[in-house]
Amino acid sequence: MSEEIKESQEQQIIKTQQIYQQMNPETQAVIVRDIKDAAKMYDAERIMQGIKTYDDLSEQFKVDPTKDINQNKISLSNDMFEDYKLVLKDNTPDFKYLAGTLIIMYLEALEGRPAKVLEFPTIIPAEGRSIIHNFADELGLFSYSHGAKKNRQIVVFPKTMFLETQETETVKMEKEKSKLRVKFKDYKFSHEPDPNATNTRDKMIREIYFEQKGIHDPIVKPSYAGPFQNKLPEFKKMIQKIQESELKKQAKSDEISRKLKEAQKSEESIEHSPKSTTETRKSKPQVIDYVGNMDSRDQEEIKVDPRDRKQLQKLVQDGDSDDEAKRKEEEDEYFMSLTEEEKQAYREKQERIKKEKEQEFKKLEEYHKQLKQTSLKTFKDRPDAIKEIRCVHTDSDLVAFEWDEPADNNSRILRYHIYVSDFTISKDHVYQQDFSQEIQRKNQTFKKLDTIPNVENELFYTMTDLKPNTCYFVQVTAENELGEGYKQDQPELIMTAPFTVKGKKSNLYVWGSNHNSELGISDEQAKVNAGDYVKHSMKKAIKNKQFESGNVRQISCGNVSTLFLYAEQDSTQIMIIQSGMTIIQTEKHINESKINYTEEELDQVQYIPSIPFEIFFNIPVVKVCCGDLFQLLLTAEGQVFSWGQNLYGQLGLKDNTISATLQPQLVKFSNPLDRIIDLVSGFNSCIALNQENQVYVWGKRMGYYPTFDMNYHAIRNSTQIQTTEINQQDPRLLKGNLVYYKIKKVISGPSNNALITESGQVLLQGLNDHGQLGVGEELGSILYFFPEFMKYDYFSSRKLFVLDVQFGLCHTLILCHDPTLNKNRVFGCGSTKIGQLTLKKDELLFDFFELTDLLIDTKTQLPIEVVSISCGSFHSLFTSKDGRVFGCGKNSKGQLAFRNTASTGKNQFGLVELKILLAQNEKLKQVSSGSLYSMAITEMV
């Protein structure tokens, strides 16, 4: 390098340093705007020699790094890449040189300084971003693209920085890949996806293609996992070679341009000379010969000026066309000079040559076909991953599941391996001192549970000795002579049923309104209890004879109907039983096979009271939910099905034209990999909890509302928002403040909903027309409805762990555990008008009021320790630790299991014990309340 060039470069470096010294040292995000200054600042030769040409970058690294990656980045401007709006074959080396050089400068400037990221501009197309991603993989850097399609930017930084961002982006990419896996699960690729794909989606599809084949993509190199410092010298050499190669090409281009100009001058001189056409043609093959020699000497692309390239192509095409015309002319002259016999012989010869070529082509085609078939037959590999595991039976202590045989890859499957995770999800919400579930989830490992031989038509397995009401994660792999096969990307979630009464006798007790047959009792039983069965209401708790021969596993009481999970005494098959108001076709349309009905077609269906009947469903179910005029099922595989009325979107079917459906329909969630582990329904709304503790909502007033703060003026100004009914037609994933909590339990009432976190905190949502939200009198007196789930510090500030929340139509009950006193405490708010909060006064409680000291056993005058609570529309039930049930509130339909007298009236303001006549060896398991009735499950011990 000459002294003049060195001196010029040093002047440019000094100039650039002065520019950056003038920058504000407190600036956190730096934008490099001048491509010329950048090129001079990072002279390639000095970089290759390991000389840092720009040490003053330290000025912009003095700021303390924060977790916000947007505040700690070096952003390159669009001006630097103005010449690369399109990255094509011609300019790819130049782009590689520029991008690689900038990455090298960035990494060298990072040494010993706080964390910064390098952000490339939006002007770079997908082909350019793909090159930068490849560079990052070679160096062991982390890279990701962000922004809308037309404004995508790529960010690059070492993997030791911004770990939270890396984790977030990795999870996001994995979710996108999982969606594509589901989409292409059964897709048969007709050909190999484009190996030169530049966008992320196409690359993922190619990756999925090779995953399905069970082989590694031959063109994909594994990303370097070590420190970038080890790869940096090698990367510098690669960039230097690109530069040297481009210089050689430029030299060749200059030479070709010179030759072209000479040829052009020669062509012009020939055209203006009086020479013959034959002589003119002789000059063209010389140009063709020259180009051919150049191609044979060097296979690399020759870079020339576009005008020179066009001239060269014109000359070559002219030469080719002239030669072809001359050859054709000579052949015609030769053919015309032949005798008739010679002409016939010539024709036969040409025909023979043509047939020989066709036969040769067919042989070659057949050879490739046989070669392909042979390759497929001789290819052997471990078995593919099992695509799907299906639960075929569930009970409280066991689950049975099956699977389809995966592709054996030309080697017979010998056996299957069953794995189960050490991490489980219990759906029973009890007070715990140690909340380590999230730690267990992150560190979960799968242990081999069993190995079974491959027996034809027996691809199923039964897991035993399990806990009831619990979620388990399982995997199954196949094994052949080459070894154990590939595993599923996502383990399958399977749930056990609620508590068991297997081998024990259980009873179902019912009382309250039976106007729509919601109690499920027969006419004969109503007649037997005629003294207490008044106006379709059972005024005492009686044993339901309809369920006497088996065991009721779970009940869900709705507004006017009830769902049961039930098993016969000698059977493990769990049935779904429905009683109460039921949707059916009208007599006029009874023979039609129609299932879904629009609002205009609702006159074709009717709701009638019905005695218990079975709903046939071929997937094991672990939970049932009953709303007003609709029902839900939760399967052992974490799927949700719904049927009934859909005027508010409560079925979650997304199709708002469906106003009612007669049969269970699958509810689809935004993430197809989500598995629902808990499900509840209010009168016309639903909440679902997935395996990641995320919450989905849909139905009446569950749509997206404009937010407003919980202060006086904001509430006053949002009256229109509060009174607007925004419904949600399909499951909506709640985000916002919920990302800070791990939700353990979901609860839904007539018009209110609650979430309980893993640490015992509570969040409430819904109507507040009677003070049900307990936000205080100042705000509660003007707040009608709050759409978001708001956290309450009332209980956490008192170090109380919330166990359960129950809602009536106008009141709320909350059950808490006090670890300091080691006892449970009960709080309430809302209307006290009919005694539902045990208070003998008619007012609205806008603040939570403790009821613990008011829950007194009238016989012993001692306080009762409440272990569970339940609410009807206008009554409340409390179950004590010793298995007794107490209640208060409205009793007009026998909700408190006794007949009213003149002295008691229809409303019970004080606490009263319900007369449920249990045997000495009979124990209470579950108490549930519908709108105007209640039920209890007991078991014999």
Side-chain angles (χ1 to χ4, degrees), residues 559-577:
N559 185 23
V560 289
S561 57
T562 311
L563 280 180
F564 308 85
L565 282 183
Y566 174 76
E568 292 290 349
Q569 187 67 35
D570 299 326
S571 172
T572 59
Q573 188 65 39
I574 298 179
M575 298 184 292
I576 305 161
I577 307 294

PDB file of all heavy atoms in Angstrom, residues 559-577:
ATOM      1  N   ASN A 559     -78.417 -22.528  35.549  1.00  0.00           N
ATOM      2  CA  ASN A 559     -79.589 -21.729  35.880  1.00  0.00           C
ATOM      3  C   ASN A 559     -80.843 -22.596  35.922  1.00  0.00           C
ATOM      4  O   ASN A 559     -81.559 -22.623  36.920  1.00  0.00           O
ATOM      5  CB  ASN A 559     -79.742 -20.597  34.855  1.00  0.00           C
ATOM      6  CG  ASN A 559     -80.877 -19.663  35.203  1.00  0.00           C
ATOM      7  OD1 ASN A 559     -81.293 -19.571  36.356  1.00  0.00           O
ATOM      8  ND2 ASN A 559     -81.403 -18.963  34.208  1.00  0.00           N
ATOM      9  N   VAL A 560     -81.082 -23.356  34.841  1.00  0.00           N
ATOM     10  CA  VAL A 560     -82.287 -24.176  34.769  1.00  0.00           C
ATOM     11  C   VAL A 560     -81.988 -25.605  34.310  1.00  0.00           C
ATOM     12  O   VAL A 560     -82.896 -26.328  33.894  1.00  0.00           O
ATOM     13  CB  VAL A 560     -83.321 -23.530  33.815  1.00  0.00           C
ATOM     14  CG1 VAL A 560     -83.907 -22.278  34.435  1.00  0.00           C
ATOM     15  CG2 VAL A 560     -82.704 -23.227  32.454  1.00  0.00           C
ATOM     16  N   SER A 561     -80.726 -26.020  34.370  1.00  0.00           N
ATOM     17  CA  SER A 561     -80.375 -27.391  33.981  1.00  0.00           C
ATOM     18  C   SER A 561     -79.121 -27.819  34.729  1.00  0.00           C
ATOM     19  O   SER A 561     -78.398 -26.993  35.295  1.00  0.00           O
ATOM     20  CB  SER A 561     -80.162 -27.497  32.468  1.00  0.00           C
ATOM     21  OG  SER A 561     -79.162 -26.595  32.039  1.00  0.00           O
ATOM     22  N   THR A 562     -78.879 -29.132  34.714  1.00  0.00           N
ATOM     23  CA  THR A 562     -77.764 -29.703  35.464  1.00  0.00           C
ATOM     24  C   THR A 562     -77.060 -30.751  34.610  1.00  0.00           C
ATOM     25  O   THR A 562     -77.697 -31.488  33.852  1.00  0.00           O
ATOM     26  CB  THR A 562     -78.245 -30.368  36.760  1.00  0.00           C
ATOM     27  OG1 THR A 562     -79.104 -29.459  37.460  1.00  0.00           O
ATOM     28  CG2 THR A 562     -77.092 -30.757  37.659  1.00  0.00           C
ATOM     29  N   LEU A 563     -75.727 -30.831  34.753  1.00  0.00           N
ATOM     30  CA  LEU A 563     -74.933 -31.875  34.104  1.00  0.00           C
ATOM     31  C   LEU A 563     -74.262 -32.728  35.171  1.00  0.00           C
ATOM     32  O   LEU A 563     -73.833 -32.216  36.217  1.00  0.00           O
ATOM     33  CB  LEU A 563     -73.867 -31.270  33.187  1.00  0.00           C
ATOM     34  CG  LEU A 563     -74.308 -30.799  31.795  1.00  0.00           C
ATOM     35  CD1 LEU A 563     -73.105 -30.244  31.053  1.00  0.00           C
ATOM     36  CD2 LEU A 563     -74.944 -31.918  31.003  1.00  0.00           C
ATOM     37  N   PHE A 564     -74.147 -34.042  34.890  1.00  0.00           N
ATOM     38  CA  PHE A 564     -73.535 -34.986  35.831  1.00  0.00           C
ATOM     39  C   PHE A 564     -72.480 -35.809  35.097  1.00  0.00           C
ATOM     40  O   PHE A 564     -72.667 -36.188  33.937  1.00  0.00           O
ATOM     41  CB  PHE A 564     -74.575 -35.962  36.397  1.00  0.00           C
ATOM     42  CG  PHE A 564     -75.791 -35.319  36.990  1.00  0.00           C
ATOM     43  CD1 PHE A 564     -76.869 -34.952  36.189  1.00  0.00           C
ATOM     44  CD2 PHE A 564     -75.879 -35.093  38.361  1.00  0.00           C
ATOM     45  CE1 PHE A 564     -78.004 -34.379  36.727  1.00  0.00           C
ATOM     46  CE2 PHE A 564     -77.016 -34.515  38.906  1.00  0.00           C
ATOM     47  CZ  PHE A 564     -78.087 -34.153  38.091  1.00  0.00           C
ATOM     48  N   LEU A 565     -71.376 -36.115  35.787  1.00  0.00           N
ATOM     49  CA  LEU A 565     -70.471 -37.191  35.367  1.00  0.00           C
ATOM     50  C   LEU A 565     -70.813 -38.384  36.245  1.00  0.00           C
ATOM     51  O   LEU A 565     -70.720 -38.305  37.481  1.00  0.00           O
ATOM     52  CB  LEU A 565     -69.005 -36.786  35.548  1.00  0.00           C
ATOM     53  CG  LEU A 565     -68.412 -35.847  34.499  1.00  0.00           C
ATOM     54  CD1 LEU A 565     -66.932 -35.611  34.775  1.00  0.00           C
ATOM     55  CD2 LEU A 565     -68.597 -36.376  33.087  1.00  0.00           C
ATOM     56  N   TYR A 566     -71.159 -39.497  35.608  1.00  0.00           N
ATOM     57  CA  TYR A 566     -71.764 -40.604  36.350  1.00  0.00           C
ATOM     58  C   TYR A 566     -71.218 -41.925  35.828  1.00  0.00           C
ATOM     59  O   TYR A 566     -70.960 -42.081  34.624  1.00  0.00           O
ATOM     60  CB  TYR A 566     -73.289 -40.553  36.179  1.00  0.00           C
ATOM     61  CG  TYR A 566     -74.046 -41.709  36.773  1.00  0.00           C
ATOM     62  CD1 TYR A 566     -74.251 -41.803  38.147  1.00  0.00           C
ATOM     63  CD2 TYR A 566     -74.574 -42.706  35.949  1.00  0.00           C
ATOM     64  CE1 TYR A 566     -74.956 -42.856  38.694  1.00  0.00           C
ATOM     65  CE2 TYR A 566     -75.288 -43.761  36.483  1.00  0.00           C
ATOM     66  CZ  TYR A 566     -75.476 -43.838  37.858  1.00  0.00           C
ATOM     67  OH  TYR A 566     -76.185 -44.884  38.393  1.00  0.00           O
ATOM     68  N   ALA A 567     -71.027 -42.879  36.732  1.00  0.00           N
ATOM     69  CA  ALA A 567     -70.592 -44.227  36.355  1.00  0.00           C
ATOM     70  C   ALA A 567     -71.428 -45.247  37.117  1.00  0.00           C
ATOM     71  O   ALA A 567     -71.679 -45.080  38.317  1.00  0.00           O
ATOM     72  CB  ALA A 567     -69.113 -44.424  36.663  1.00  0.00           C
ATOM     73  N   GLU A 568     -71.851 -46.271  36.417  1.00  0.00           N
ATOM     74  CA  GLU A 568     -72.574 -47.355  37.069  1.00  0.00           C
ATOM     75  C   GLU A 568     -71.661 -48.056  38.070  1.00  0.00           C
ATOM     76  O   GLU A 568     -70.436 -48.030  37.942  1.00  0.00           O
ATOM     77  CB  GLU A 568     -73.093 -48.347  36.030  1.00  0.00           C
ATOM     78  CG  GLU A 568     -74.191 -47.802  35.129  1.00  0.00           C
ATOM     79  CD  GLU A 568     -75.506 -47.589  35.864  1.00  0.00           C
ATOM     80  OE1 GLU A 568     -75.627 -48.059  37.012  1.00  0.00           O
ATOM     81  OE2 GLU A 568     -76.409 -46.953  35.290  1.00  0.00           O
ATOM     82  N   GLN A 569     -72.260 -48.726  39.042  1.00  0.00           N
ATOM     83  CA  GLN A 569     -71.513 -49.315  40.145  1.00  0.00           C
ATOM     84  C   GLN A 569     -70.450 -50.297  39.675  1.00  0.00           C
ATOM     85  O   GLN A 569     -69.332 -50.298  40.154  1.00  0.00           O
ATOM     86  CB  GLN A 569     -72.492 -50.026  41.102  1.00  0.00           C
ATOM     87  CG  GLN A 569     -71.843 -50.537  42.390  1.00  0.00           C
ATOM     88  CD  GLN A 569     -71.374 -49.397  43.284  1.00  0.00           C
ATOM     89  OE1 GLN A 569     -72.001 -48.353  43.360  1.00  0.00           O
ATOM     90  NE2 GLN A 569     -70.246 -49.580  43.944  1.00  0.00           N
ATOM     91  N   ASP A 570     -70.777 -51.127  38.708  1.00  0.00           N
ATOM     92  CA  ASP A 570     -69.844 -52.159  38.247  1.00  0.00           C
ATOM     93  C   ASP A 570     -69.141 -51.774  36.952  1.00  0.00           C
ATOM     94  O   ASP A 570     -68.634 -52.635  36.233  1.00  0.00           O
ATOM     95  CB  ASP A 570     -70.593 -53.485  38.046  1.00  0.00           C
ATOM     96  CG  ASP A 570     -71.217 -53.989  39.342  1.00  0.00           C
ATOM     97  OD1 ASP A 570     -70.604 -53.757  40.412  1.00  0.00           O
ATOM     98  OD2 ASP A 570     -72.307 -54.590  39.286  1.00  0.00           O
ATOM     99  N   SER A 571     -69.129 -50.498  36.634  1.00  0.00           N
ATOM    100  CA  SER A 571     -68.523 -50.053  35.379  1.00  0.00           C
ATOM    101  C   SER A 571     -67.535 -48.932  35.651  1.00  0.00           C
ATOM    102  O   SER A 571     -67.706 -48.135  36.572  1.00  0.00           O
ATOM    103  CB  SER A 571     -69.605 -49.570  34.407  1.00  0.00           C
ATOM    104  OG  SER A 571     -69.034 -48.981  33.269  1.00  0.00           O
ATOM    105  N   THR A 572     -66.480 -48.895  34.818  1.00  0.00           N
ATOM    106  CA  THR A 572     -65.515 -47.784  34.897  1.00  0.00           C
ATOM    107  C   THR A 572     -65.783 -46.742  33.821  1.00  0.00           C
ATOM    108  O   THR A 572     -65.091 -45.737  33.760  1.00  0.00           O
ATOM    109  CB  THR A 572     -64.086 -48.325  34.728  1.00  0.00           C
ATOM    110  OG1 THR A 572     -63.983 -48.998  33.458  1.00  0.00           O
ATOM    111  CG2 THR A 572     -63.718 -49.280  35.840  1.00  0.00           C
ATOM    112  N   GLN A 573     -66.765 -46.991  32.974  1.00  0.00           N
ATOM    113  CA  GLN A 573     -67.094 -46.052  31.901  1.00  0.00           C
ATOM    114  C   GLN A 573     -67.899 -44.885  32.461  1.00  0.00           C
ATOM    115  O   GLN A 573     -68.974 -45.059  33.011  1.00  0.00           O
ATOM    116  CB  GLN A 573     -67.907 -46.766  30.813  1.00  0.00           C
ATOM    117  CG  GLN A 573     -68.145 -45.929  29.570  1.00  0.00           C
ATOM    118  CD  GLN A 573     -66.857 -45.614  28.837  1.00  0.00           C
ATOM    119  OE1 GLN A 573     -65.979 -46.459  28.748  1.00  0.00           O
ATOM    120  NE2 GLN A 573     -66.747 -44.408  28.322  1.00  0.00           N
ATOM    121  N   ILE A 574     -67.360 -43.679  32.320  1.00  0.00           N
ATOM    122  CA  ILE A 574     -68.020 -42.480  32.838  1.00  0.00           C
ATOM    123  C   ILE A 574     -68.985 -41.947  31.786  1.00  0.00           C
ATOM    124  O   ILE A 574     -68.620 -41.740  30.629  1.00  0.00           O
ATOM    125  CB  ILE A 574     -66.981 -41.411  33.228  1.00  0.00           C
ATOM    126  CG1 ILE A 574     -66.081 -41.939  34.352  1.00  0.00           C
ATOM    127  CG2 ILE A 574     -67.662 -40.116  33.653  1.00  0.00           C
ATOM    128  CD1 ILE A 574     -65.008 -40.977  34.782  1.00  0.00           C
ATOM    129  N   MET A 575     -70.219 -41.712  32.207  1.00  0.00           N
ATOM    130  CA  MET A 575     -71.249 -41.200  31.310  1.00  0.00           C
ATOM    131  C   MET A 575     -71.536 -39.741  31.619  1.00  0.00           C
ATOM    132  O   MET A 575     -71.296 -39.255  32.721  1.00  0.00           O
ATOM    133  CB  MET A 575     -72.534 -42.024  31.479  1.00  0.00           C
ATOM    134  CG  MET A 575     -72.391 -43.493  31.127  1.00  0.00           C
ATOM    135  SD  MET A 575     -73.975 -44.370  31.228  1.00  0.00           S
ATOM    136  CE  MET A 575     -74.278 -44.313  32.993  1.00  0.00           C
ATOM    137  N   ILE A 576     -72.085 -39.046  30.614  1.00  0.00           N
ATOM    138  CA  ILE A 576     -72.519 -37.650  30.766  1.00  0.00           C
ATOM    139  C   ILE A 576     -74.039 -37.659  30.808  1.00  0.00           C
ATOM    140  O   ILE A 576     -74.691 -38.112  29.862  1.00  0.00           O
ATOM    141  CB  ILE A 576     -72.019 -36.788  29.596  1.00  0.00           C
ATOM    142  CG1 ILE A 576     -70.503 -36.900  29.449  1.00  0.00           C
ATOM    143  CG2 ILE A 576     -72.426 -35.337  29.788  1.00  0.00           C
ATOM    144  CD1 ILE A 576     -69.977 -36.472  28.108  1.00  0.00           C
ATOM    145  N   ILE A 577     -74.592 -37.158  31.894  1.00  0.00           N
ATOM    146  CA  ILE A 577     -76.046 -37.126  32.077  1.00  0.00           C
ATOM    147  C   ILE A 577     -76.497 -35.677  32.146  1.00  0.00           C
ATOM    148  O   ILE A 577     -75.886 -34.858  32.840  1.00  0.00           O
ATOM    149  CB  ILE A 577     -76.475 -37.872  33.357  1.00  0.00           C
ATOM    150  CG1 ILE A 577     -75.902 -39.303  33.367  1.00  0.00           C
ATOM    151  CG2 ILE A 577     -77.988 -37.880  33.497  1.00  0.00           C
ATOM    152  CD1 ILE A 577     -76.455 -40.195  32.290  1.00  0.00           C
TER     153      ILE A 577
END
